[in-house]
Amino acid sequence: ILGRTATPALRVLALHGKGGDGVRFRALLEPLAEALPEVEWHCPTAPHALAPGGGYAWWLLPPGTRSFEADEYMGVEDTLHALAQAQAQAGPFDVILGHSQGAMLAGYLLASLTLGETSPLSQLPRCCVLSGAAWPRPFGPKLEAMKHLVATSPDSICPTLHCWSPVDKINPPEYAQQLRDCCGLPAKELVHSGGHVVPLMQHGWCNYSGVETDSGGLGAM
């Protein structure tokens, strides 16, 4: 789906993980970008600054709480506003790609679009790639509603690719599988040994996208 296309370029919205930023995430994706020079990569930075030097987050959490433990995400409205601005400036987007917290956000966006609900994005993407995701508990009801819809109407959702590692020490891999299960039969899976990274190995998602590269994972952001 990320294969070579004629102009206009395919637009990818790439969402970094907690503690990252758009500039660093774009650098981490450089091997894929070099293989697909005709693809436009849009990597916004999340609106919530963490401690000095700690990067940015798509939502805020109580001290010591992980995203998969929280019952509420604070500041999501700011994130949706930032994504609406990205949509206005560079959209519509053909692909959503998210890693870690960004993958959890991508799942929320995918569910909203699949269910026909209000979203900062204007259209269901051609595909969605979720890497190193955890289960976003505050978004759980929306994801479960998508699961029920897709069970009876599998064509209502776009193809998805779920990348997870059994040795991920940041987000429990069973949560990535739980998110995968909400996406129905169009869901594909890439299980890799790189831990909490964006996988770009030769026989991984690059074959799914029509690209091959010898590079390995691209780090935790």
Side-chain angles (χ1 to χ4, degrees):
I1 292 177
L2 287 179
R4 302 188 180 278
T5 62
T7 55
L10 212 66
R11 296 185 180 95
V12 178
L13 176 65
L15 305 172
H16 64 79
K18 178 184 177 181
D21 61 54
V23 173
R24 284 189 287 167
F25 195 48
R26 175 62 178 80
L28 290 169
L29 295 173
E30 185 60 24
L32 188 55
E34 289 181 354
L36 295 169
E38 66 278 22
V39 171
E40 293 181 5
W41 299 86
H42 299 276
C43 305
T45 293
H48 300 291
L50 300 176
Y56 296 82
W58 297 107
W59 49 76
L60 298 174
L61 301 165
T65 303
R66 301 294 308 281
S67 284
F68 55 80
E69 300 170 331
D71 292 319
E72 179 183 5
Y73 294 156
M74 297 173 285
V76 173
E77 293 78 9
D78 297 323
T79 285
L80 298 181
H81 178 70
L83 292 176
Q85 289 183 316
Q87 163 71 32
Q89 295 169 0
F93 298 107
D94 303 289
V95 178
I96 303 173
L97 181 156
H99 177 62
S100 196
Q101 194 181 87
M104 300 164 76
L105 175 59
Y108 171 85
L109 295 171
L110 176 63
S112 297
L113 291 164
T114 300
L115 294 168
E117 298 179 355
T118 301
S119 170
L121 306 184
S122 63
Q123 65 182 37
L124 190 69
R126 291 174 55 181
C127 76
C128 187
V129 179
L130 298 95
S131 168
W135 179 253
R137 291 173 61 180
F139 304 152
K142 189 182 295 289
L143 290 166
E144 292 291 346
M146 178 177 71
K147 180 179 181 178
H148 291 305
L149 173 63
V150 172
T152 55
S153 302
D155 293 337
S156 61
I157 191 172
C158 68
T160 58
L161 178 64
H162 302 263
C163 308
W164 61 274
S165 174
V167 294
D168 190 331
K169 303 301 184 184
I170 303 299
N171 287 333
E174 59 268 25
Y175 289 152
Q177 298 169 64
Q178 185 177 0
L179 186 53
R180 174 207 62 199
D181 291 344
C182 291
C183 297
L185 292 177
K188 294 186 179 182
E189 187 175 58
L190 166 59
V191 182
H192 61 92
S193 60
H196 196 65
V197 300
V198 179
L200 288 178
M201 67 284 289
Q202 183 175 3
H203 299 295
W205 74 2
C206 295
N207 286 339
Y208 175 88
S209 66
V211 181
E212 292 189 357
T213 175
D214 291 330
S215 62
L218 293 181
M221 298 302 175

